[in-house]
């Protein structure tokens, strides 16, 4: 679930950064002269006398920068880097791992890296950056004292997110005309077209993004899930819940007694908890889960919830969803 801390103080965001010597610059990170600036996800412009070179980034944001050749000196994640979908296939050699649990960042180790920039998504609903939110360990919040924090907004599209990190990478000195980057974008473009074709072949198919939990069933609100908004834009009928939680509008919260309030043809299951056996397991654990006709029929597919940042990852996930849509029936929920 998404919970984040208040915005970094403007005084910190406008901090003038000290230049690092050439011996402090990671070999894999392009460098360029200052002055430097970037428009943060909250609209504020962060400025520095010199281009930052010693970057600490949250998991997905690190993956995005690395896809354009910018290698951070440190990374903090919400789970093991061996299982984090953004990081598990990346070479993290030479990068300090500063946290592998939500809400816990080793700020002392982070300080030893002498960062001049922290990179984390901006979450509009919480008005905060990734990893520095309400509810995290108090010591972890001190990360924001080490350097300015910037990030692209988790807004209306994963495409916008990927493009935003491309712009950040360019501002940090990346060259984005490499053949492998062009190939990744082409793969993504092809995946989008295949997805649109599959959706068009099932004009009456309805889907609902969900995350079952012990206490209740969470129904995702596409307005706060950019990948779901992309799916809607590309023609997929993703259901918007009637009553998102006013205090945490990412979800409508349903009691298990009301788990069957919506009857989609296909369930998009929060990929952070999805396994091949999860549907059957929840059917045994909570009988009302199977009151949802799609669940009873096994019409479920993994939804890449809140983690996508790169063209390559989005292309791979779209290919999986395209296969699921092709196999789905249009009248399961009726």
């Amino acid at each position: 679930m998404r919970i984040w801390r208040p915005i970094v103080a403007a005084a910190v965001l406008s901090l003038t950064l000290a230049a690092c010597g050439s011996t402090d610059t990671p070999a894999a990170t392009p460098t360029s002269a200052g002055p430097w600036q970037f428009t943060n996800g909250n609209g504020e412009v962060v400025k520095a006398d010199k281009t930052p070179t010693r970057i600490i980034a949250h998991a997905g944001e690190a993956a995005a920068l690395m896809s354009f050749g910018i290698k951070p000196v440190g990374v903090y994640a919400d789970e093991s880097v061996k299982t984090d979908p953004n990081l598990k296939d990346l070479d993290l050699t030479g990068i300090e791992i500063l946290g592998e649990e939500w809400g816990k960042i080793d700020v002392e180790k982070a300080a030893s890296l002498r960062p001049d920039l922290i990179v984390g998504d901006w979450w509009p609903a919480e008005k905060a950056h990734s990893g520095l939110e309400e509810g995290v360990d108090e010591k972890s919040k001190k990360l924001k004292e080490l350097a300015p924090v910037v990030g692209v907004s988790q807004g209306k599209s994963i495409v916008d997110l990927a493009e935003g990190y491309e712009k950040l990478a360019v501002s940090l000195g990346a060259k984005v005309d490499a053949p492998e980057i062009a190939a990744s974008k082409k793969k993504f473009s092809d995946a989008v077209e295949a997805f649109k074709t599959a959706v068009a072949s099932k004009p009456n198919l309805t889907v609902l993004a969900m995350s079952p939990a012990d206490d209740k069933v969470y129904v995702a609100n596409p307005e706060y899930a950019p990948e779901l908004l992309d799916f809607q834009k590309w023609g997929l009928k993703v259901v918007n819940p009637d009553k998102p939680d006013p205090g945490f509008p990412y979800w409508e919260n349903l009691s298990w007694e009301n788990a069957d309030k919506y009857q989609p043809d296909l369930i998009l299951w929060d990929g952070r908890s999805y396994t091949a056996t999860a549907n059957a397991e929840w059917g045994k654990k909570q009988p009302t889960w199977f009151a949802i006709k799609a669940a009873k029929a096994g019409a479920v597919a993994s939804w890449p919830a809140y983690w996508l940042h790169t063209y390559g990852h989005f292309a791979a996930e779209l290919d999986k969803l395209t296969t699921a849509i092709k196999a789905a029936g249009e009248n399961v929920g009726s």
Side-chain angles (χ1 to χ4, degrees):
M1 311 306 167
R2 302 249 64 96
I3 306 174
W4 302 100
R5 69 155 202 92
I7 182 174
V8 177
V12 176
L13 286 171
S14 61
L15 179 67
T16 298
L17 306 179
C20 290
S22 60
T23 57
D24 294 334
T25 303
T29 303
T31 60
S32 61
W36 175 87
Q37 70 175 44
F38 184 76
T39 301
N40 194 20
N42 64 353
E44 294 192 37
V45 178
V46 181
K47 296 181 179 181
D49 288 342
K50 298 291 183 180
T51 301
T53 59
R54 301 190 62 79
I55 300 161
I56 290 174
H58 185 242
E61 298 83 314
L65 292 176
M66 291 175 72
S67 74
F68 297 112
I70 300 296
K71 184 176 180 179
V73 296
V75 167
Y76 59 98
D78 299 334
E79 61 181 283
S80 169
V81 296
K82 295 180 180 179
T83 59
D84 185 290
N86 288 289
L87 301 174
K88 63 182 182 180
D89 295 322
L90 297 182
D91 181 3
L92 302 180
T93 303
I95 299 175
E96 287 287 347
I97 307 304
L98 304 173
E100 296 182 272
E101 180 181 352
W102 184 89
K104 293 186 181 299
I105 302 170
D106 189 334
V107 176
E108 184 175 341
K109 183 185 288 187
S112 73
L113 298 175
R114 290 170 291 113
D116 48 17
L117 192 68
I118 312 294
V119 178
D121 290 341
W122 173 257
W123 295 85
E126 293 82 11
K127 296 181 172 58
H129 290 92
S130 294
L132 300 173
E133 63 277 29
E134 291 293 336
V136 305
D137 185 90
E138 285 300 315
K139 293 181 180 179
S140 296
K141 292 183 180 181
K142 293 183 180 297
L143 182 71
K144 69 181 184 289
E145 300 174 6
L146 303 181
V149 185
V150 301
V152 181
S153 178
Q154 279 274 354
K156 301 297 184 183
S157 172
I158 296 296
V159 179
D160 292 344
L161 193 68
E163 291 176 348
Y165 280 108
E166 181 173 3
K167 291 177 181 177
L168 177 58
V170 169
S171 80
L172 295 170
K175 306 299 182 184
V176 297
D177 55 357
E180 57 268 28
I181 294 175
S184 182
K185 290 181 178 180
K186 176 63 165 56
K187 182 179 179 181
F188 170 71
S189 178
D190 291 346
V192 171
E193 291 307 310
F195 180 86
K196 288 180 178 179
T197 299
V199 169
S201 72
K202 302 285 179 72
N204 298 313
L205 182 74
T206 61
V207 305
L208 187 69
M210 305 181 73
S211 184
D214 289 337
D215 57 342
K216 62 192 69 177
V217 180
Y218 295 90
V219 176
N221 178 9
E223 285 300 311
Y224 290 91
E227 65 281 350
L228 296 181
L229 288 176
D230 282 331
F231 300 160
Q232 288 181 331
K233 181 171 62 179
W234 298 330
L236 187 63
K237 293 181 178 178
V238 183
V239 176
N240 285 19
D242 297 331
K243 297 180 179 179
D245 182 346
F248 198 62
Y250 293 95
W251 310 92
E252 177 176 355
N253 306 327
L254 300 179
S255 67
W256 274 104
E257 290 76 14
N258 295 315
D260 61 345
K261 176 179 178 179
Y262 302 99
Q263 290 290 348
D265 298 316
L266 177 66
I267 293 171
L268 297 185
W269 193 307
D270 187 336
R272 294 170 295 180
S273 61
Y274 178 80
T275 65
T277 60
N279 189 56
E281 290 169 357
W282 275 106
K284 294 178 180 178
K285 187 175 183 179
Q286 290 285 359
T288 53
W289 178 247
F290 279 164
I292 307 171
K293 296 175 183 178
K296 180 68 173 178
V300 299
S302 180
W303 153 45
Y306 307 110
W307 67 266
L308 293 170
H309 284 78
T310 70
Y311 295 106
H313 282 145
F314 203 0
E317 294 299 319
L318 278 176
D319 286 344
K320 296 175 187 177
L321 286 170
T322 296
T323 298
I325 289 167
K326 289 179 178 179
E330 293 180 276
N331 300 308
V332 174
S334 58

